[in-house]
């Protein structure tokens, strides 16, 4: 909050209505002139006392649209200046090879006795023109979840997988499903406390892959409470994404949307980090470097917000750690894009 600025840096950032400070930081970083003193030089009173689970959706408020657009323009200019801007087009995917099923839905779960049955049923009720299965990666639950999943596994489409390892995060559980012998051509996400909106969700996702020849599909979701009543801000659709500039804007925002689905050969090539936060973001920005990402802008997913959400009430230390990790991912991705642009 406390910064001392050179006059020339300030003048470079005067042409913006909302994001001058953002422009100034990026401009100064290109000049190599930012120095951070790692000691407290001021105090700040916090007036926004909302929990982290409420704050994280502020960026999709209607009154934030112009701010976000201006920040995207500034970010795009910055990426061009540092040689990390990606211009279209992206590579098409041919969808080759034989797979046990067309699609595998993956639910990583640990101690979700109150929600896992609803999530599983929303998958098994899908109506599709192709074969699919459900891989539930049960990360050593001890609250009754394991017994419940075993009971529901009477449906042979449900594969109950308990890893031998005990050090897996969400990303590690995803990787376990990715390399399972029953894994299909497309790997489709569902969190253990969320639901597909209707029985046509899986069909829509797979059709989008073939329609756009893309390596990843991201849908839209509706915010609801535990009893499925709508919650503000309502529908999260990430309409700021464009085919031309989405891969560049992805380095500015904190997430690309949900639910996410992947073409398995490309996902195996990229790999999934064994973490419990940001694994989806790492995959998304890596895929967008080379391949098209398909978007579904109507809600196909219900995101249940309740006190049991892992991000419902994070402390400042955890929020800072999450932000640091995503900044680390961005830094790696920028280096890769700079090298890719040089080779082109």
């Amino acid at each position: 909050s406390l910064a001392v600025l050179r006059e020339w840096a300030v003048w470079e950032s005067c042409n913006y209505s909302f994001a001058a400070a953002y422009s100034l930081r990026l401009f100064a970083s290109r000049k190599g002139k930012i120095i951070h003193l790692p000691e407290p030089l001021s105090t700040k009173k916090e007036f926004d006392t909302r929990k982290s689970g409420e704050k994280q959706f502020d960026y999709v408020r209607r009154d934030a649209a112009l701010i976000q657009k201006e920040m995207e323009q500034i970010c795009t200019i910055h990426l061009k200046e540092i040689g990390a801007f990606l211009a279209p087009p992206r590579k098409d995917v041919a969808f080759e090879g034989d797979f046990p099923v067309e699609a595998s839905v993956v639910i990583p779960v640990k101690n979700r006795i109150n929600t896992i049955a609803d999530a599983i049923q929303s998958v098994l009720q899908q109506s599709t023109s192709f074969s699919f299965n459900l891989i539930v990666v049960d990360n050593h639950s001890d609250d009754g979840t394991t017994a419940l999943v075993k009971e529901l596994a009477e449906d042979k489409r449900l594969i109950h997988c308990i890893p031998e390892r005990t050090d897996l995060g969400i990303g590690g559980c995803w990787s376990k499903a990715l390399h399972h012998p029953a894994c299909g051509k497309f790997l489709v996400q569902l969190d253990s406390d969320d639901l597909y909106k209707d029985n046509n969700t899986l069909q829509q996702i797979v059709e989008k892959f073939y329609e756009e020849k893309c390596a990843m599909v991201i849908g839209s979701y509706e915010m609801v409470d535990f009893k499925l009543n709508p919650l503000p801000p309502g529908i999260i659709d990430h309409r700021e994404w464009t085919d031309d500039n989405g891969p560049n804007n992805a380095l500015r925002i904190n997430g690309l949307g949900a639910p996410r689905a992947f073409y398995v050969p490309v996902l195996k090539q990229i790999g999934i980090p064994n973490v419990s936060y940001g694994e989806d973001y790492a995959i998304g920005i890596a895929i967008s470097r080379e391949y098209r990402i398909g978007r579904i802008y109507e809600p196909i997913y219900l995101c249940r917000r309740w006190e049991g959400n892992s991000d419902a009430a994070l402390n400042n230390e955890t929020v800072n750690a999450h932000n640091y990790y995503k900044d680390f991912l961005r830094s790696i991705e920028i280096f890769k894009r700079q090298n890719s642009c040089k080779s082109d």
Side-chain angles (χ1 to χ4, degrees):
S1 297
L2 180 61
V4 180
L5 308 171
R6 295 285 295 271
E7 184 179 12
W8 54 263
V10 176
W11 280 109
E12 285 290 333
S13 303
C14 286
N15 295 324
Y16 297 103
S17 301
F18 309 106
Y22 179 56
S23 173
L24 181 135
R25 289 197 301 272
L26 293 182
F27 175 79
S29 73
R30 296 198 295 273
K31 299 294 183 180
K33 300 285 187 179
I34 293 180
I35 298 175
H36 177 228
L37 301 179
E39 58 182 287
L41 300 177
S42 62
T43 59
K44 181 178 179 180
K45 186 171 182 179
E46 180 61 75
F47 293 98
D48 188 351
T49 58
R50 294 174 300 158
K51 295 180 179 180
S52 59
E54 299 175 54
K55 293 180 181 179
Q56 66 175 313
F57 297 103
D58 284 352
Y59 71 96
V60 297
R61 298 192 323 257
R62 289 191 177 186
D63 59 352
L66 292 177
I67 300 173
Q68 295 298 319
K69 198 65 181 176
E70 187 168 280
M71 292 181 74
E72 179 181 356
Q73 294 170 355
I74 293 168
C75 175
T76 303
I77 292 171
H78 176 69
L79 292 176
K80 288 180 177 179
E81 289 286 338
I82 65 173
F85 175 80
L86 293 179
R90 313 279 175 251
K91 292 193 296 189
D92 287 343
V93 177
F95 303 123
E96 299 172 338
D98 296 322
F99 300 88
V101 292
E102 183 77 351
S104 292
V105 177
V106 177
I107 304 179
V109 63
K110 182 168 185 176
N111 295 341
R112 284 289 187 263
I113 185 65
N114 293 322
T115 61
I116 186 61
D118 292 339
I120 288 173
Q121 289 302 328
S122 80
V123 176
L124 298 180
Q125 292 170 2
Q126 292 296 299
S127 176
T128 65
S129 60
F130 50 81
S131 61
F132 71 91
N133 60 25
L134 166 61
I135 304 175
V136 177
V137 184
D138 182 0
N139 201 9
H140 305 281
S141 299
D142 57 15
D143 68 340
T145 294
T146 300
L148 179 55
V149 175
K150 283 182 178 179
E151 180 181 335
L152 294 172
E154 292 182 1
D155 189 315
K156 300 305 179 184
R157 294 173 297 173
L158 196 166
I159 299 163
H160 187 194
C161 176
I162 301 177
E164 294 180 3
R165 291 173 55 176
T166 58
D167 63 339
L168 297 184
I170 294 174
C173 291
W174 265 88
S175 189
K176 186 72 176 177
L178 175 66
H179 295 282
H180 195 284
C183 182
K185 182 186 298 183
F186 303 111
L187 205 61
V188 187
Q189 170 231 358
L190 180 61
D191 289 341
S192 57
D193 46 8
D194 295 333
L195 308 168
Y196 289 147
K197 186 170 184 181
D198 56 38
N199 62 4
N200 194 44
T201 293
L202 198 54
Q203 183 76 32
Q204 285 181 271
I205 291 172
V206 169
E207 287 178 356
K208 179 61 69 171
F209 274 109
Y210 289 107
E211 176 186 332
E212 299 200 15
K213 299 179 181 178
C214 52
M216 181 177 180
V217 170
I218 304 176
S220 302
Y221 59 93
E222 184 175 356
M223 305 290 295
V224 297
D225 63 18
F226 194 81
K227 296 181 178 179
L228 308 186
N229 298 308
L231 288 177
I235 295 173
I236 312 296
D237 54 18
H238 285 274
R239 287 186 180 273
E240 78 280 355
W241 179 277
T242 63
D243 285 339
D244 287 346
N245 206 45
N248 297 301
N249 196 36
L251 292 182
R252 181 185 67 81
I253 58 180
N254 253 7
L256 303 186
R260 297 164 286 270
F262 311 92
Y263 176 49
V264 162
V266 170
L267 187 56
K268 284 183 175 179
Q269 177 185 349
I270 291 174
I272 308 172
N274 182 28
V275 294
S276 290
Y277 175 82
E279 73 289 339
D280 52 337
Y281 183 69
I283 299 167
I285 58 177
I287 287 178
S288 71
R289 192 187 328 135
E290 296 186 52
Y291 299 96
R292 185 179 299 105
I293 294 179
R295 308 294 306 219
I296 300 174
Y297 290 114
E298 63 267 19
I300 58 174
Y301 187 92
L302 298 178
C303 180
R304 290 203 278 193
R305 307 303 297 175
W306 62 300
E307 65 277 3
N309 290 138
S310 57
D311 59 356
L314 303 178
N315 57 37
N316 286 337
E317 290 75 14
T318 302
V319 171
N320 288 339
H322 285 176
N323 289 335
Y324 181 87
Y325 179 62
K326 285 196 173 177
D327 196 47
F328 166 73
L329 294 175
R330 292 185 188 102
S331 298
I332 292 175
E333 184 62 24
I334 283 174
F335 289 136
K336 290 182 177 179
R337 293 185 183 195
Q338 286 173 325
N339 290 331
S340 175
C341 290
K342 286 179 182 177
S343 63
D344 293 342

